[in-house]
Amino acid sequence: MTQPHVGPVTPAAANPLSLTPLDDLRTHVTAHLDEAARTWLAHALDEAAARSGSHGPISAWELRLAEAGRRCGADHADAVRVLILHAAHAGPDALTRVYRQGTAAERRAVLHALPHLVSGPDALPLVEDALRTNDTRLVAAAVGPYAARHLDAHNWRHAVLKCLFTGVPVNAVADLHRRARADAELARMLDDYAAERTAAGRPVPQVLHRVLALTESEAKES
């Protein structure tokens, strides 16, 4: 396949909630909230920390996740939810419950929180579920650092293709440069996808060629 000259794929920058240290995230969010929102957030975090080990159908801190947008504004709600999940020391079971029962926004926060809260592959079913949706914000959250660490090669390649199918920026794919390097199977899948689109008279996304260039050889990695 002939490749046009296109710019490089830059390192992932679309998952700041997954990549930002939580102390820095709290400092940043708090600085942008008004006094009422700051007070609410401090109370919600204290409540989550105090009741992190409670049992029952739903914990008080889980209710706060639903309030985050109204209390702190849509621009900060994702970050606030990540902070509450962390304060509650939410493990795989609690994260799964929140994900299964929550809104799309709450599910997105769970996905962003995974690298901060789960060290092993226990939460992979949540990533895999998000990648089956066509919600581009969920897909973008799903391909963050947790997926980079734990998705196997087959499912990770399909996650990259999912981003191309749905228009999610590939910069959302954490560790793309390392995992795509010299990946001949990913290159084959990208070539096949490009050929299918060409045969159907549809344009090939330029970013596909940029990802394909990453697969060529380790020597081309900057």
Side-chain angles (χ1 to χ4, degrees), residues 58-105:
I58 188 166
S59 300
W61 62 265
E62 294 177 62
L63 297 175
R64 303 294 168 254
L65 297 174
E67 297 177 20
R70 176 166 57 87
R71 296 285 191 169
C72 298
D75 290 345
H76 305 298
D78 282 2
V80 166
R81 292 185 179 107
V82 170
L83 291 170
I84 292 172
L85 289 167
H86 181 260
H89 301 290
D93 289 345
L95 292 166
T96 298
R97 183 173 65 250
V98 171
Y99 182 92
R100 299 297 182 195
Q101 298 177 356
T103 64

Short mmCIF file of all heavy atoms in Angstrom, two decimals, residues 58-105:
data_model
loop_
_atom_site.label_atom_id
_atom_site.label_comp_id
_atom_site.label_asym_id
_atom_site.label_seq_id
_atom_site.Cartn_x
_atom_site.Cartn_y
_atom_site.Cartn_z
N ILE A 58 -25.52 -0.22 48.33
CA ILE A 58 -24.83 0.93 47.73
C ILE A 58 -24.28 1.79 48.86
O ILE A 58 -24.95 2.03 49.87
CB ILE A 58 -25.78 1.74 46.82
CG1 ILE A 58 -24.99 2.82 46.06
CG2 ILE A 58 -26.92 2.35 47.61
CD1 ILE A 58 -25.76 3.42 44.92
N SER A 59 -23.05 2.23 48.70
CA SER A 59 -22.40 3.05 49.72
C SER A 59 -22.69 4.52 49.45
O SER A 59 -22.97 4.93 48.33
CB SER A 59 -20.89 2.81 49.70
OG SER A 59 -20.59 1.46 49.97
N ALA A 60 -22.55 5.31 50.51
CA ALA A 60 -22.80 6.74 50.37
C ALA A 60 -21.88 7.36 49.34
O ALA A 60 -22.29 8.24 48.57
CB ALA A 60 -22.64 7.42 51.73
N TRP A 61 -20.61 6.90 49.30
CA TRP A 61 -19.67 7.50 48.34
C TRP A 61 -20.08 7.22 46.90
O TRP A 61 -19.80 8.01 46.01
CB TRP A 61 -18.24 7.02 48.61
CG TRP A 61 -18.00 5.55 48.46
CD1 TRP A 61 -18.01 4.61 49.44
CD2 TRP A 61 -17.68 4.84 47.25
NE1 TRP A 61 -17.73 3.36 48.93
CE2 TRP A 61 -17.52 3.48 47.60
CE3 TRP A 61 -17.51 5.23 45.92
CZ2 TRP A 61 -17.20 2.50 46.65
CZ3 TRP A 61 -17.20 4.26 44.98
CH2 TRP A 61 -17.04 2.91 45.35
N GLU A 62 -20.77 6.09 46.68
CA GLU A 62 -21.25 5.81 45.32
C GLU A 62 -22.33 6.80 44.91
O GLU A 62 -22.42 7.17 43.73
CB GLU A 62 -21.77 4.38 45.25
CG GLU A 62 -20.68 3.33 45.45
CD GLU A 62 -21.22 1.92 45.43
OE1 GLU A 62 -21.77 1.51 44.39
OE2 GLU A 62 -21.09 1.22 46.46
N LEU A 63 -23.14 7.22 45.86
CA LEU A 63 -24.15 8.24 45.55
C LEU A 63 -23.49 9.55 45.16
O LEU A 63 -24.00 10.29 44.32
CB LEU A 63 -25.06 8.44 46.75
CG LEU A 63 -25.89 7.23 47.18
CD1 LEU A 63 -26.66 7.55 48.45
CD2 LEU A 63 -26.83 6.79 46.08
N ARG A 64 -22.34 9.85 45.77
CA ARG A 64 -21.64 11.08 45.44
C ARG A 64 -21.15 11.09 43.99
O ARG A 64 -21.03 12.15 43.38
CB ARG A 64 -20.46 11.29 46.38
CG ARG A 64 -20.83 11.31 47.85
CD ARG A 64 -21.71 12.50 48.21
NE ARG A 64 -22.25 12.31 49.55
CZ ARG A 64 -23.53 11.99 49.82
NH1 ARG A 64 -24.40 11.84 48.83
NH2 ARG A 64 -23.93 11.83 51.06
N LEU A 65 -20.85 9.91 43.45
CA LEU A 65 -20.43 9.85 42.06
C LEU A 65 -21.51 10.40 41.14
O LEU A 65 -21.22 11.09 40.15
CB LEU A 65 -20.11 8.40 41.67
CG LEU A 65 -18.96 7.73 42.41
CD1 LEU A 65 -18.89 6.24 42.01
CD2 LEU A 65 -17.64 8.41 42.11
N ALA A 66 -22.76 10.09 41.47
CA ALA A 66 -23.87 10.57 40.64
C ALA A 66 -24.06 12.08 40.76
O ALA A 66 -24.56 12.73 39.85
CB ALA A 66 -25.16 9.86 41.05
N GLU A 67 -23.64 12.65 41.91
CA GLU A 67 -23.82 14.09 42.14
C GLU A 67 -22.70 14.94 41.57
O GLU A 67 -22.80 16.17 41.53
CB GLU A 67 -23.88 14.37 43.65
CG GLU A 67 -25.04 13.73 44.38
CD GLU A 67 -24.95 14.02 45.88
OE1 GLU A 67 -24.25 14.99 46.26
OE2 GLU A 67 -25.56 13.28 46.66
N ALA A 68 -21.60 14.32 41.17
CA ALA A 68 -20.39 15.08 40.87
C ALA A 68 -20.60 16.15 39.80
O ALA A 68 -20.09 17.27 39.93
CB ALA A 68 -19.27 14.12 40.44
N GLY A 69 -21.32 15.83 38.75
CA GLY A 69 -21.53 16.80 37.69
C GLY A 69 -22.32 18.00 38.17
O GLY A 69 -21.97 19.16 37.87
N ARG A 70 -23.37 17.75 38.95
CA ARG A 70 -24.20 18.85 39.45
C ARG A 70 -23.45 19.69 40.46
O ARG A 70 -23.59 20.91 40.50
CB ARG A 70 -25.48 18.26 40.07
CG ARG A 70 -26.40 19.27 40.70
CD ARG A 70 -27.77 18.66 40.97
NE ARG A 70 -27.66 17.47 41.81
CZ ARG A 70 -27.65 17.51 43.15
NH1 ARG A 70 -27.72 18.66 43.79
NH2 ARG A 70 -27.60 16.39 43.85
N ARG A 71 -22.63 19.05 41.29
CA ARG A 71 -21.95 19.77 42.37
C ARG A 71 -20.69 20.50 41.89
O ARG A 71 -20.38 21.59 42.40
CB ARG A 71 -21.56 18.78 43.46
CG ARG A 71 -22.73 18.12 44.15
CD ARG A 71 -23.41 19.06 45.10
NE ARG A 71 -24.37 18.37 45.96
CZ ARG A 71 -24.95 18.92 47.02
NH1 ARG A 71 -24.67 20.18 47.35
NH2 ARG A 71 -25.79 18.23 47.74
N CYS A 72 -19.98 19.90 40.94
CA CYS A 72 -18.67 20.44 40.57
C CYS A 72 -18.58 20.89 39.12
O CYS A 72 -17.55 21.43 38.70
CB CYS A 72 -17.58 19.40 40.84
SG CYS A 72 -17.45 18.95 42.59
N GLY A 73 -19.64 20.67 38.35
CA GLY A 73 -19.64 21.10 36.95
C GLY A 73 -19.16 20.00 36.03
O GLY A 73 -18.32 19.16 36.40
N ALA A 74 -19.69 20.00 34.82
CA ALA A 74 -19.38 18.95 33.87
C ALA A 74 -17.89 18.88 33.52
O ALA A 74 -17.35 17.80 33.28
CB ALA A 74 -20.20 19.15 32.59
N ASP A 75 -17.23 20.04 33.50
CA ASP A 75 -15.81 20.06 33.12
C ASP A 75 -14.92 19.32 34.13
O ASP A 75 -13.83 18.87 33.77
CB ASP A 75 -15.31 21.50 32.98
CG ASP A 75 -15.90 22.20 31.76
OD1 ASP A 75 -16.45 21.50 30.89
OD2 ASP A 75 -15.82 23.43 31.70
N HIS A 76 -15.37 19.24 35.37
CA HIS A 76 -14.54 18.65 36.42
C HIS A 76 -15.09 17.33 36.94
O HIS A 76 -14.45 16.69 37.79
CB HIS A 76 -14.40 19.63 37.58
CG HIS A 76 -13.89 20.97 37.17
ND1 HIS A 76 -12.64 21.15 36.61
CD2 HIS A 76 -14.47 22.20 37.22
CE1 HIS A 76 -12.47 22.43 36.34
NE2 HIS A 76 -13.56 23.08 36.69
N ALA A 77 -16.25 16.91 36.45
CA ALA A 77 -16.93 15.75 37.04
C ALA A 77 -16.11 14.47 36.92
O ALA A 77 -16.04 13.68 37.86
CB ALA A 77 -18.30 15.57 36.39
N ASP A 78 -15.49 14.24 35.76
CA ASP A 78 -14.71 13.01 35.60
C ASP A 78 -13.58 12.95 36.63
O ASP A 78 -13.35 11.92 37.27
CB ASP A 78 -14.11 12.94 34.19
CG ASP A 78 -15.12 12.49 33.14
OD1 ASP A 78 -16.30 12.29 33.50
OD2 ASP A 78 -14.73 12.36 31.97
N ALA A 79 -12.86 14.05 36.77
CA ALA A 79 -11.74 14.08 37.71
C ALA A 79 -12.23 13.89 39.14
O ALA A 79 -11.61 13.17 39.93
CB ALA A 79 -10.98 15.40 37.58
N VAL A 80 -13.33 14.53 39.49
CA VAL A 80 -13.89 14.40 40.83
C VAL A 80 -14.27 12.94 41.10
O VAL A 80 -14.00 12.40 42.19
CB VAL A 80 -15.10 15.33 41.00
CG1 VAL A 80 -15.90 14.98 42.24
CG2 VAL A 80 -14.62 16.79 41.06
N ARG A 81 -14.87 12.29 40.14
CA ARG A 81 -15.25 10.88 40.33
C ARG A 81 -14.02 10.00 40.51
O ARG A 81 -14.03 9.07 41.33
CB ARG A 81 -16.10 10.41 39.15
CG ARG A 81 -17.47 11.05 39.08
CD ARG A 81 -18.33 10.46 37.97
NE ARG A 81 -19.65 11.09 37.96
CZ ARG A 81 -20.06 11.96 37.04
NH1 ARG A 81 -19.25 12.30 36.04
NH2 ARG A 81 -21.27 12.49 37.10
N VAL A 82 -12.98 10.25 39.75
CA VAL A 82 -11.74 9.48 39.92
C VAL A 82 -11.20 9.67 41.33
O VAL A 82 -10.78 8.70 41.99
CB VAL A 82 -10.69 9.90 38.87
CG1 VAL A 82 -9.33 9.29 39.20
CG2 VAL A 82 -11.14 9.46 37.48
N LEU A 83 -11.22 10.90 41.83
CA LEU A 83 -10.73 11.17 43.18
C LEU A 83 -11.57 10.46 44.24
O LEU A 83 -11.04 9.93 45.22
CB LEU A 83 -10.72 12.67 43.44
CG LEU A 83 -9.68 13.48 42.64
CD1 LEU A 83 -9.93 14.97 42.80
CD2 LEU A 83 -8.26 13.12 43.04
N ILE A 84 -12.88 10.43 44.06
CA ILE A 84 -13.75 9.74 45.02
C ILE A 84 -13.50 8.23 44.99
O ILE A 84 -13.40 7.58 46.04
CB ILE A 84 -15.24 10.05 44.72
CG1 ILE A 84 -15.53 11.53 45.02
CG2 ILE A 84 -16.15 9.15 45.55
CD1 ILE A 84 -16.91 11.98 44.57
N LEU A 85 -13.37 7.66 43.81
CA LEU A 85 -13.07 6.23 43.71
C LEU A 85 -11.76 5.89 44.41
O LEU A 85 -11.65 4.87 45.08
CB LEU A 85 -13.01 5.82 42.23
CG LEU A 85 -14.35 5.80 41.49
CD1 LEU A 85 -14.12 5.69 39.98
CD2 LEU A 85 -15.22 4.64 41.97
N HIS A 86 -10.78 6.76 44.25
CA HIS A 86 -9.49 6.51 44.89
C HIS A 86 -9.61 6.65 46.41
O HIS A 86 -9.06 5.83 47.16
CB HIS A 86 -8.45 7.47 44.35
CG HIS A 86 -7.09 7.25 44.94
ND1 HIS A 86 -6.60 8.04 45.96
CD2 HIS A 86 -6.14 6.32 44.69
CE1 HIS A 86 -5.40 7.62 46.30
NE2 HIS A 86 -5.09 6.57 45.56
N ALA A 87 -10.30 7.68 46.86
CA ALA A 87 -10.47 7.87 48.30
C ALA A 87 -11.17 6.67 48.94
O ALA A 87 -10.88 6.31 50.08
CB ALA A 87 -11.25 9.15 48.58
N ALA A 88 -12.07 6.05 48.22
CA ALA A 88 -12.80 4.89 48.72
C ALA A 88 -12.00 3.60 48.60
O ALA A 88 -12.48 2.54 49.03
CB ALA A 88 -14.11 4.75 47.95
N HIS A 89 -10.81 3.68 48.04
CA HIS A 89 -10.00 2.48 47.80
C HIS A 89 -10.82 1.41 47.07
O HIS A 89 -10.80 0.24 47.42
CB HIS A 89 -9.45 1.92 49.12
CG HIS A 89 -8.60 2.88 49.87
ND1 HIS A 89 -7.35 3.26 49.45
CD2 HIS A 89 -8.85 3.57 51.02
CE1 HIS A 89 -6.84 4.12 50.32
NE2 HIS A 89 -7.73 4.34 51.26
N ALA A 90 -11.55 1.86 46.07
CA ALA A 90 -12.42 0.95 45.33
C ALA A 90 -11.59 -0.13 44.63
O ALA A 90 -10.70 0.18 43.86
CB ALA A 90 -13.25 1.73 44.31
N GLY A 91 -11.90 -1.37 44.94
CA GLY A 91 -11.23 -2.49 44.30
C GLY A 91 -12.02 -2.99 43.11
O GLY A 91 -13.04 -2.41 42.74
N PRO A 92 -11.58 -4.10 42.51
CA PRO A 92 -12.26 -4.59 41.30
C PRO A 92 -13.75 -4.83 41.48
O PRO A 92 -14.54 -4.54 40.58
CB PRO A 92 -11.50 -5.89 40.99
CG PRO A 92 -10.13 -5.65 41.53
CD PRO A 92 -10.34 -4.85 42.79
N ASP A 93 -14.16 -5.37 42.65
CA ASP A 93 -15.59 -5.64 42.85
C ASP A 93 -16.40 -4.36 42.88
O ASP A 93 -17.46 -4.25 42.23
CB ASP A 93 -15.81 -6.43 44.14
CG ASP A 93 -15.31 -7.86 44.05
OD1 ASP A 93 -15.07 -8.34 42.91
OD2 ASP A 93 -15.16 -8.51 45.11
N ALA A 94 -15.92 -3.36 43.64
CA ALA A 94 -16.65 -2.10 43.73
C ALA A 94 -16.64 -1.37 42.39
O ALA A 94 -17.66 -0.79 41.97
CB ALA A 94 -16.04 -1.21 44.81
N LEU A 95 -15.51 -1.39 41.71
CA LEU A 95 -15.43 -0.74 40.41
C LEU A 95 -16.37 -1.40 39.40
O LEU A 95 -17.02 -0.71 38.60
CB LEU A 95 -13.99 -0.78 39.89
CG LEU A 95 -12.98 0.07 40.67
CD1 LEU A 95 -11.56 -0.31 40.29
CD2 LEU A 95 -13.23 1.56 40.42
N THR A 96 -16.45 -2.71 39.46
CA THR A 96 -17.37 -3.42 38.56
C THR A 96 -18.80 -3.05 38.87
O THR A 96 -19.61 -2.83 37.95
CB THR A 96 -17.16 -4.94 38.69
OG1 THR A 96 -15.83 -5.26 38.29
CG2 THR A 96 -18.16 -5.70 37.83
N ARG A 97 -19.16 -2.96 40.15
CA ARG A 97 -20.52 -2.59 40.52
C ARG A 97 -20.85 -1.19 40.02
O ARG A 97 -21.92 -0.95 39.44
CB ARG A 97 -20.67 -2.66 42.05
CG ARG A 97 -22.09 -2.34 42.52
CD ARG A 97 -22.25 -2.59 44.01
NE ARG A 97 -21.43 -1.69 44.82
CZ ARG A 97 -20.37 -2.08 45.52
NH1 ARG A 97 -19.96 -3.34 45.50
NH2 ARG A 97 -19.69 -1.20 46.26
N VAL A 98 -19.94 -0.24 40.24
CA VAL A 98 -20.18 1.13 39.78
C VAL A 98 -20.32 1.16 38.27
O VAL A 98 -21.20 1.83 37.71
CB VAL A 98 -19.04 2.07 40.24
CG1 VAL A 98 -19.17 3.44 39.58
CG2 VAL A 98 -19.06 2.21 41.76
N TYR A 99 -19.44 0.43 37.59
CA TYR A 99 -19.47 0.42 36.12
C TYR A 99 -20.78 -0.17 35.62
O TYR A 99 -21.42 0.39 34.71
CB TYR A 99 -18.29 -0.39 35.60
CG TYR A 99 -18.19 -0.41 34.09
CD1 TYR A 99 -17.43 0.53 33.41
CD2 TYR A 99 -18.86 -1.37 33.34
CE1 TYR A 99 -17.34 0.52 32.03
CE2 TYR A 99 -18.78 -1.39 31.96
CZ TYR A 99 -18.02 -0.45 31.31
OH TYR A 99 -17.95 -0.46 29.94
N ARG A 100 -21.19 -1.30 36.17
CA ARG A 100 -22.39 -1.98 35.67
C ARG A 100 -23.66 -1.19 35.96
O ARG A 100 -24.61 -1.20 35.17
CB ARG A 100 -22.50 -3.37 36.30
CG ARG A 100 -21.35 -4.31 35.98
CD ARG A 100 -21.26 -4.63 34.51
NE ARG A 100 -20.17 -5.57 34.24
CZ ARG A 100 -19.68 -5.81 33.03
NH1 ARG A 100 -20.18 -5.18 31.97
NH2 ARG A 100 -18.69 -6.66 32.86
N GLN A 101 -23.69 -0.49 37.10
CA GLN A 101 -24.90 0.20 37.51
C GLN A 101 -24.91 1.68 37.14
O GLN A 101 -25.95 2.33 37.23
CB GLN A 101 -25.09 0.06 39.03
CG GLN A 101 -25.26 -1.38 39.50
CD GLN A 101 -25.37 -1.51 41.01
OE1 GLN A 101 -25.27 -0.53 41.75
NE2 GLN A 101 -25.58 -2.73 41.47
N GLY A 102 -23.76 2.20 36.74
CA GLY A 102 -23.63 3.63 36.56
C GLY A 102 -24.02 4.15 35.19
O GLY A 102 -24.27 3.38 34.25
N THR A 103 -24.03 5.46 35.09
CA THR A 103 -24.25 6.13 33.82
C THR A 103 -22.98 6.02 32.97
O THR A 103 -21.93 5.57 33.43
CB THR A 103 -24.56 7.61 34.05
OG1 THR A 103 -23.40 8.22 34.66
CG2 THR A 103 -25.77 7.78 34.96
N ALA A 104 -23.07 6.49 31.74
CA ALA A 104 -21.89 6.49 30.87
C ALA A 104 -20.77 7.32 31.49
O ALA A 104 -19.60 6.96 31.41
CB ALA A 104 -22.25 7.03 29.48
N ALA A 105 -21.12 8.44 32.13
CA ALA A 105 -20.11 9.28 32.75
C ALA A 105 -19.43 8.55 33.91
O ALA A 105 -18.21 8.64 34.09
CB ALA A 105 -20.75 10.58 33.25
#
